[in-house]
Amino acid sequence: MNISTQAVQIGLEWDTRTGAVSVPIYQTATFRHPGLGQSTGYDYSRSGNPTRQSLEDGMARLDNGARGFAYSSGMAAIANLLLLFRSGDHLVVTEDLYGGTCRLFDKVFNQFGLTFSYVDTSDVEAVRAALTPRTRAVFAESLTNPLLKFADIPALSTLCRDRDLLLIVDNTFLTPYLLRPLDLGADIAVYSASKYLAGHNDTIAGLVVVKDAELAERVYYHQNAAGAVLGPQDSWLVMRGIKTLGVRMDRQQENAAKIAGWLKNHPAIAKVYYPGLEDHPGHALVKRDSRGFGAMIAFEVATHALVEQVLLKTRLISFAESLGGVESLITFPEVQTHADIPLELRARLGINNTLLRLSVGIEDNNDLIEDLNQALEA
C-alpha cells in the first residue's frame, strides 16, 4: 500500500472483538491475570499497553522496521537510545542539531562518560574524519534543525556498516511519509512525534523504529527498565494525527514552496534556507532520496531590528516554539530552540541574530504571505 493509505489505516485492525474503527483508549495501569502463571499478553502498562502497542506496531509498518517504541517525548526517546552505549563510547553527531539534543548529549550523558563530536553530517568525508576507535554510532538529523542541511543516508550507512557502527537518524522534519531512513540503510529512526506525526500542537510524544529484531529487543529492555513510556491517551492522539499525515504534509509542502520563493525575492530578506529551492546545496540529494522537501523554512532578515518586528507583528503566524502542526509557527533559534548550543558553534554554523525559523502550516498560503509581508513592512 501507498504510505498515505497505511497512515490512514493505522490501528484499524486492532479491535477485532467489537470492530471499533477508532482504537480504544486502554486507560489502565494494570491487567488481570486469567490464572496463575498466565497472562493476556499485558501485565502492567509500563511494560505494554494495547493503545500504545497499536501506535508502535503501526509506526513500525510505516517505517518498514521490525518494531516501534513510543515515549513520553522526543527527548525521552533519544535518551533511551543512549542507554545502548557504555562509558567511554564515542558518537559522531550532526553539528547543527536541535539545541535540546545538544543539551542532552553535553550536559547529561557526557557526565556518564559518553563523548560526542559535532560535524557536518551532510559531508560524509567529515564524518569519516571524525571517527575514532571508540566510535560506536553516528547520530544524524535527516534534515537539520534549523539550517536544513540534508544527510546522505545511503553513504553514511555504507560508512557505518563497514565499521560495525549504528546509524541513528532523527527524521522528525521529513517523517516516513517523505523519507524512510531504514530503507536507506539506517538502523534506527527517531522522531519527536509532537511535530508532524501528531500534527496538531496538542501532545508531547517520541517515537523510535528499529530495523533489526535483535536490536529492537535491546531497545525494548531499556524502554521497560527506564519507563519513560507514552500514556494511552497521548498514544491515541498521535495515531489520530498520523491518519491525516499525508494530506497535511502535501498542503504544508505546497505552502512552504510558495512562501520560500516569495521570501527569496523580498528586499528585507538576506537569505532563505529551503531544500526545495534549486540553489539549496542539498536540493539534488533531497530530490534523489525523499518524496518531498518538507515544510520548514529558515531565513535571515536584513537587520536584527527586523527580528522582533516580525515576531511581534505577525497575526496569523504564532510566535511559538515547536513545529509541524497545522498552525504556522515562527521562532528565533538563537535565543529559543538553540540557546544550549555553544555561542562559538552557533556563530560558525550561521545560527545568528537575524535567523528566523518558520514552520509552515495548512492555512491558505496567500494569507500567510500577506501576514509576513505586513510584518516585514510594519
Side-chain angles (χ1 to χ4, degrees), residues 271-289:
K271 190 171 184 178
V272 179
Y273 301 85
Y274 180 64
L277 296 174
E278 291 189 359
D279 60 355
H280 185 279
H283 176 79
L285 197 59
V286 180
K287 195 171 182 179
R288 184 195 75 181
D289 291 344

Side-chain angles (χ1 to χ4, degrees), residues 196 252 255-256 259 295-297 325 328 358-363 368:
Y196 289 103
Q252 286 168 293
N255 285 353
I259 292 168
M296 295 299 300
I297 302 172
S328 295
L358 175 64
S359 171
V360 181
I362 66 170
E363 303 93 342
L368 293 173

Side-chain angles (χ1 to χ4, degrees), residues 148-310:
L148 305 175
K149 294 180 181 178
F150 188 69
D152 188 340
I153 297 173
L156 291 176
S157 169
T158 299
L159 182 66
C160 290
R161 190 165 55 248
D162 290 346
R163 289 160 176 77
D164 196 27
L165 308 176
L166 287 179
L167 176 58
I168 304 169
V169 176
D170 184 332
N171 194 37
T172 296
F173 276 18
L174 292 175
T175 80
Y177 181 68
L178 298 180
L179 180 79
R180 285 171 160 168
L182 306 188
D183 286 354
L184 298 178
D187 298 292
I188 299 173
V190 60
Y191 300 88
S192 172
S194 319
K195 312 303 192 291
Y196 289 103
L197 292 171
H200 291 79
N201 292 319
D202 58 7
T203 188
I204 299 295
L207 286 166
V208 164
V209 180
V210 182
K211 186 175 186 177
D212 175 74
E214 185 177 343
L215 178 60
E217 279 299 317
R218 293 172 58 199
V219 172
Y220 173 70
Y221 179 86
H222 292 302
Q223 183 198 40
N224 185 44
V229 295
L230 190 63
Q233 175 73 38
D234 288 324
S235 295
W236 185 87
L237 283 171
V238 175
M239 274 189 287
R240 184 179 67 168
I242 288 175
K243 286 177 179 290
T244 61
L245 177 63
V247 291
R248 285 187 287 105
M249 291 219 73
D250 285 346
R251 177 63 175 265
Q252 286 168 293
Q253 285 192 110
E254 177 188 345
N255 285 353
K258 187 170 181 179
I259 292 168
W262 178 83
L263 285 168
K264 190 176 178 182
N265 293 312
H266 195 287
I269 304 301
K271 190 171 184 178
V272 179
Y273 301 85
Y274 180 64
L277 296 174
E278 291 189 359
D279 60 355
H280 185 279
H283 176 79
L285 197 59
V286 180
K287 195 171 182 179
R288 184 195 75 181
D289 291 344
S290 176
R291 296 176 67 240
F293 300 105
M296 295 299 300
I297 302 172
F299 61 95
E300 295 179 21
V301 290
T303 66
H304 178 60
L306 276 172
V307 168
E308 185 172 7
Q309 178 176 311
V310 170

Side-chain angles (χ1 to χ4, degrees), residues 24 26 44 51 112 129 132 134 136 156 174 189 228 249 264-265 275 301 306 319 349 353 371:
Y26 287 85
Y44 188 60
T51 314
F112 300 119
T132 76
R134 304 303 299 269
R136 298 292 177 265
L156 291 176
L174 292 175
M249 291 219 73
K264 190 176 178 182
N265 293 312
V301 290
L306 276 172
F319 174 27
L349 294 175
N353 68 355
D371 192 34

Side-chain angles (χ1 to χ4, degrees), residues 94-99 102 141 144-149 271 273 298-300 331-357:
T94 296
E95 60 182 2
D96 62 316
L97 84 174
Y98 170 55
C102 181
E141 291 181 344
T144 66
N145 181 4
L147 297 175
L148 305 175
K149 294 180 181 178
K271 190 171 184 178
Y273 301 85
F299 61 95
E300 295 179 21
T331 190
F332 183 30
E334 187 187 53
V335 300
Q336 290 180 287
T337 56
H338 291 70
D340 285 297
I341 292 180
L343 177 61
E344 63 276 8
L345 180 57
R346 291 202 309 267
R348 180 170 65 81
L349 294 175
I351 303 173
N352 55 41
N353 68 355
T354 61
L355 182 74
L356 294 170
R357 190 192 73 186

